[in-house]
Each structure stands twice: as C-alpha cells, then as structure tokens.
Amino acid sequence: MSDQVLAGRYRLEGRLGGGGMGTVWRAVDETLRRTVAVKEIVFPDVLTAEERRVATGRAQREARAAALIDHPGVITVHDVVIEDERPWIVMELVDGPSLAEVIRRDGPLAPAAAAGIGLKVLDALEAAHAKGIVHRDVKPGNVLLAGDGRVVLTDFGIASIDADPSLTRTGTFVGTPGYVAPERLRERPGGPESDLWSLGATLYAAVEGRAPFDRDTPMAVLGAVLTEEPAPPQRAGSLGPLLWYLLRKEPSTRPGAEEVRRVLRNVAAGLPSGLPSATPSATPSATPSGPPGAVTTPAPPGRRPSRIWIPVAASAAVVMVGALLAGSILMNGPDGEAEVSASARADASSPPASPEATPTPTPSEARLDLCGLVGHRQLKRLLPRGNPSVEKDQKSCGWTVSKRGFEITDLNRRTSDPPPASPAEAHNKFVGTRNATTPGTHVWGWPTIDVDHVKARKSGALPVSGIGDEAFAYTSTGLTKPMDISGVVFRVENTLIEVEHVYERGTASPGDARDAARLIARAVARA
C-alpha cells in the first residue's frame, strides 16, 4: 500500500502507527509538495452499512472539530477524503513520538517534566472548550511530542461538538478504557471536567508508567474506573495531590482549569504544588472537603498489630475508642438528642486559656479524653449489662463487659508513622488499608490478659456507603475460639477510624453485630 495515491494527490509512503481508531500513514501531498500524515479509518467487519455511514460522519466531524481550533497545541487537519468507501483524514505530520511511546521507551517521566507537558495539553483543551468542543479521548497515545518543543493534542475523532450533536453515536462505547471519565461510562453528559479527568489519568500514566486503573481486561478496567480508587502514586511527588483531585468520581469535586494550571506551573518549576490550606477552587460545595497539600504519598500500611483486649475468665468483649479530633464530640443518645460526655462538658465549661500562655494545638496534637467520645447513655444503650471497666492508652480506650462490646481505634496512631497531613494522604492510607484487607486466615490476641492465638478467618473488604467520606466493612470468624468480629474502617477528612464489634458467638447474631458496628461508625463519623 506504500504507493497508493488517495484522491489523486496523497501518495502513501509508510505506516507510522495504528490503534483501535485506525492506521496512520506518512504521505506526500503531491499538489502542495509537502509531507503529511494520513489517518486511515479501519472499520471492523461486523459493522453494518449504517454503522459505517455513522463512522464516516464521525471522521468528517473530526476534521471540522480540529478546523475550528486555531492553536499550536491542536493538530491541524488539512483534508478528508473518501477512498475505498472509507474515510482518510489528512493532517499535519508531527515530527516526534507520542507520550505513550516515550513512556514505553524511556519509562516514567519526572513530575516536573510531566507537569510541563500537562500545561501544554491543558492549553490545547481550553482552546477546544472555548469552541464548544470536548475531546473525550485524552490519553498518552493522543499527545504528540514534536521535535520543536510543541506538545500537540491529536485525534478529535470522537469529539463532541455542541453545535453539531446529530452524529452522536448512541448504544456503543466510544473511547479508551482507563482514560474515559466515570460519568461518561454512566452515560451522563461529559463536559470539560471529563477532559480534565482524562488529563489526570494521562499525567498519572506519565509519572507512574502505567494507567491509574490498569487491569487485565478492558471490562475490569471499566469496573475499576466506576467503583475503585486509583493505586496511590509512588513517583508523582508534589504532583500526586493534583492527580488525586482530578481522578475523583464526581465531576463537581474536581478542580477547575485555572487551579490545575496554577499547580502544574508550580510543579513544572520544581516548586511545591502550592495547593492552599483551604479548599482549592471554585466554591466549597464544588470542591473536596480539604486540601491535599504538597505531600509524598505514604506506602500502604502493613498488617495491623495482633492486639485486642479480651478478659479471660468472663469471655468478655471490648469497647475500645480511639480518635484524633480537635473539638467537642457529640453522640446521639437513645432518644436522638445530642449528648456530650461528662468530660467534654467539663472541658467546655472551663475558662479558655490565654493564647499567650497556651499555644493552640494543631490537629495532630489535640486530644480529647478518648473514653469521653461515647456518652454514658450511648454506652448503656450499646452495652446494657454490667458496669464497663475502662482501659486506655495514647491512641485507644477500652471498656470491657461480659459477652460483647465494641472497639474504635484511631488508625492514624496505630503505627509510628506520622498522621496523614491531608485528606489526600488519608485517602491513600485508606486505600492501602482496604487493599490489605483480603480474605484469609489470621491470628489475633492480647497476651497480657492471657488470651492469644485466636485463629480466625477474615473476609475481604466490602464497600459501605453513608459512613464518613469513604468506608468498607469486614468480618472475622474465630476458628479456635468462639470469638467473632464485625468491623468497619472509614475516613473523615484526615482521620482514619476503625470500629470493631467483638463478641462471643451466640451473644449476638451476625446481622445484629454488623448493624451495631455500623451504627457506632456512623455516629462517630457524624461527630
């Protein structure tokens, strides 16, 4: 095919590359005597005549879409010809590889280099958005790195033009799995924020060397985009928080183009991201609940220490409370009224200390009486039998009563690692904890009270809605002793909390144990 001539003027010289949308050829425009790139649209054999007609219309629409945008970062389309009942798109030949080829050849990019490329792609996207065009297929393979330093966005073949919706193809998926925003997979309208999501996925691939939702099959990728969080980036540096924001599921919670540009400029210059200590863009209702900050993503935490407080003789259960909060905690009493623990009321009634005498504690320093997180009436409602005894330490507090109880633990203080400095760090720690919660056998115990080596079978993480910013549940069934656990792990901004209902089998049904654990988790999250 290297000597084929299209429309009497475009002589094909050699294949440059190809993909799902077609094959790209190097060609010579013999009329104007210039070298061009020609994209051959390849139709699957299973397409009907009507589907071929629609595909041809989409190719012609790509030419109109690109022609509307006068920007050096957008590919220039010269012509569209129909040959052999297939469309061929004639465009400028960019002398340079795609970002995907660079990643495959050289490996991941440094954050500053990726941010510099992202800035130029963002400029091209904004030029398109200003014309009412949403690209809808931003990915490393469609970002060309020209030898003259230009970054060129190509392949507007599935672009959506506000003024020309007649060729929208319904009933089929169009786009590249892993780079298509979740709202488009849910068949919701995709706007500029969808392109920004795809830009985030592209930059993630640039610094990590793989797509954020990389899986073995396309269907698994689509499912991960809809229901899972991306793996915490390990190489992104100060670019990491921006990636976390851009890849949020809900479009209204992603940063706007100006905020993205400001952060990319900082990272490209080798500076911290510059994300503020308040919400980063737009209005509070349209932004995440807290700042990601310029941080390095921590490694996922390892397995939790083998420790649960369980008295030997009484076969008792435990209530352990741990949290890192900087204000008074309210819990709903049995009648729904707000209830403040006695210690919290005493703290509130005390005169405030002088600012000069006592510095204001930071969230990582401030602590409440951990047992005071649950009011007396709330505790009696959950543990109606006996008078609970109290045990506590820096990160947890426990009540023990006969037969059953609850454990609430501050995961921020479980290890010697510093607490998360931002919601982004806490989210990554949550994802690591969830990924580590896999089905299998484990051993737990509390040697100091002569209860150890309780062999148990643990379930995997089960998603739970309506508790904090994100949550999952799990169960643990004792194999060597009749002790079971129903647990919930959830995040509220920077804080990670685990609730475990520990009980002797027979004192509560699995359903009641699960509901009780979620009741406590929901109440603490609201507080």
Side-chain angles (χ1 to χ4, degrees):
M1 185 180 287
S2 59
D3 291 329
Q4 181 177 356
V5 179
L6 304 175
R9 63 182 289 186
Y10 303 110
R11 183 177 298 277
L12 304 185
E13 291 190 330
R15 186 178 183 274
L16 293 175
M21 296 293 292
T23 303
V24 180
W25 300 85
R26 176 190 293 271
V28 174
D29 181 351
E30 296 183 333
T31 299
L32 298 179
R33 300 185 181 277
R34 65 181 175 185
T35 304
V36 295
V38 176
K39 179 178 177 181
E40 173 193 7
I41 304 299
V42 179
F43 294 140
D45 294 336
V46 297
L47 287 188
T48 65
E50 174 62 17
E51 288 173 327
R52 288 171 181 267
R53 185 192 68 79
V54 171
T56 299
R58 284 173 50 214
Q60 292 172 322
R61 182 174 63 176
E62 173 176 346
R64 292 201 300 273
L68 287 173
I69 310 168
D70 182 16
H71 190 278
V74 175
I75 197 78
T76 300
V77 174
H78 302 306
D79 196 4
V80 180
V81 300
I82 305 299
E83 190 87 11
D84 298 330
E85 299 183 343
R86 296 197 309 277
W88 302 68
I89 303 172
V90 183
M91 65 192 83
E92 69 169 310
L93 178 65
V94 176
D95 182 20
S98 70
L99 177 58
E101 291 169 332
V102 170
I103 296 170
R104 285 194 297 267
R105 183 188 68 199
D106 302 332
L109 276 63
I117 293 171
L119 273 171
K120 295 180 180 180
V121 175
L122 179 63
D123 287 342
L125 286 174
E126 285 207 289
H129 297 162
K131 298 291 186 179
I133 300 169
V134 180
H135 188 281
R136 300 175 73 196
D137 199 26
V138 179
K139 61 181 180 180
N142 284 338
V143 177
L144 305 181
L145 308 180
D148 59 4
R150 281 195 308 152
V151 175
V152 181
L153 185 60
T154 187
D155 204 349
F156 282 78
I158 61 173
S160 171
I161 306 176
D162 290 348
D164 184 13
S166 59
L167 290 176
T168 299
R169 184 175 181 180
T170 59
T172 48
F173 174 79
V174 180
T176 304
Y179 294 95
V180 177
E183 61 270 17
R184 283 196 53 222
L185 301 183
R186 296 188 176 99
E187 297 186 347
R188 290 163 54 186
E193 63 277 2
S194 300
D195 278 350
L196 292 180
W197 190 97
S198 300
L199 174 60
T202 297
L203 293 177
Y204 183 108
V207 294
E208 295 297 305
R210 57 183 176 81
F213 298 94
D214 189 28
R215 299 292 188 275
D216 292 335
T217 66
M219 289 304 295
V221 172
L222 298 179
V225 170
L226 287 170
T227 64
E228 300 179 25
E229 299 298 330
Q234 302 299 312
R235 303 171 180 267
S238 57
L239 190 60
L242 179 64
L243 301 181
W244 182 76
Y245 269 172
L246 286 174
L247 293 174
R248 300 194 80 173
K249 308 296 185 191
E250 181 56 43
S252 65
T253 65
R254 297 170 200 153
E258 285 305 311
E259 182 69 14
V260 174
R261 173 176 285 103
R262 185 179 62 79
V263 175
L264 290 176
R265 281 175 176 167
N266 285 342
V267 178
L271 302 173
S273 67
L275 287 167
S277 58
T279 51
S281 67
T283 62
S285 62
T287 56
S289 57
V295 296
T296 299
T297 302
R303 291 185 176 274
R304 57 169 295 176
S306 296
R307 190 180 82 167
I308 293 181
W309 295 350
I310 301 182
V312 175
S315 299
V318 185
V319 181
M320 296 177 63
V321 180
L324 188 65
L325 303 172
S328 298
I329 300 299
L330 301 181
M331 298 281 293
N332 288 332
D335 300 320
E337 76 277 10
E339 178 184 357
V340 185
S341 68
S343 61
R345 284 196 299 269
D347 291 342
S349 62
S350 302
S354 167
E356 292 79 9
T358 306
T360 302
T362 65
S364 62
E365 296 169 343
R367 289 189 180 91
L368 291 176
D369 175 10
L370 298 179
C371 290
L373 296 176
V374 177
H376 177 72
R377 281 185 291 174
Q378 183 77 24
L379 181 62
K380 291 297 291 182
R381 179 187 178 190
L382 296 169
L383 304 172
R385 298 180 180 178
N387 294 314
S389 59
V390 179
E391 299 180 59
K392 55 185 176 180
D393 60 22
Q394 289 285 332
K395 63 179 179 296
S396 60
C397 179
W399 295 277
T400 60
V401 295
S402 178
K403 305 296 186 183
R404 60 186 299 187
F406 301 88
E407 176 189 43
I408 308 175
T409 306
D410 173 22
L411 299 186
N412 291 353
R413 293 289 177 179
R414 173 166 281 173
T415 68
S416 59
D417 297 333
S422 68
E425 279 197 47
H427 162 76
N428 290 335
K429 186 172 184 178
F430 172 87
V431 171
T433 304
R434 184 188 63 195
N435 291 344
T437 306
T438 56
T441 302
H442 68 118
V443 176
W444 56 267
W446 187 261
T448 58
I449 55 173
D450 299 324
V451 175
D452 54 9
H453 292 91
V454 179
K455 188 176 181 181
R457 182 184 297 110
K458 195 170 188 177
S459 73
L462 305 171
V464 178
S465 60
I467 301 178
D469 295 325
E470 49 191 341
F472 70 85
Y474 63 88
T475 59
S476 173
T477 303
L479 300 176
T480 56
K481 291 183 174 66
M483 298 299 300
D484 298 338
I485 301 172
S486 183
V488 178
V489 174
F490 65 93
R491 178 182 67 84
V492 176
E493 296 189 354
N494 294 24
T495 304
L496 216 62
I497 299 291
E498 180 179 52
V499 173
E500 287 189 327
H501 184 179
V502 183
Y503 62 101
E504 186 180 48
R505 196 174 305 145
T507 61
S509 69
D512 289 342
R514 177 201 64 202
D515 292 345
R518 296 185 185 187
L519 172 68
I520 288 294
R522 196 168 287 112
V524 173
R526 285 198 302 266

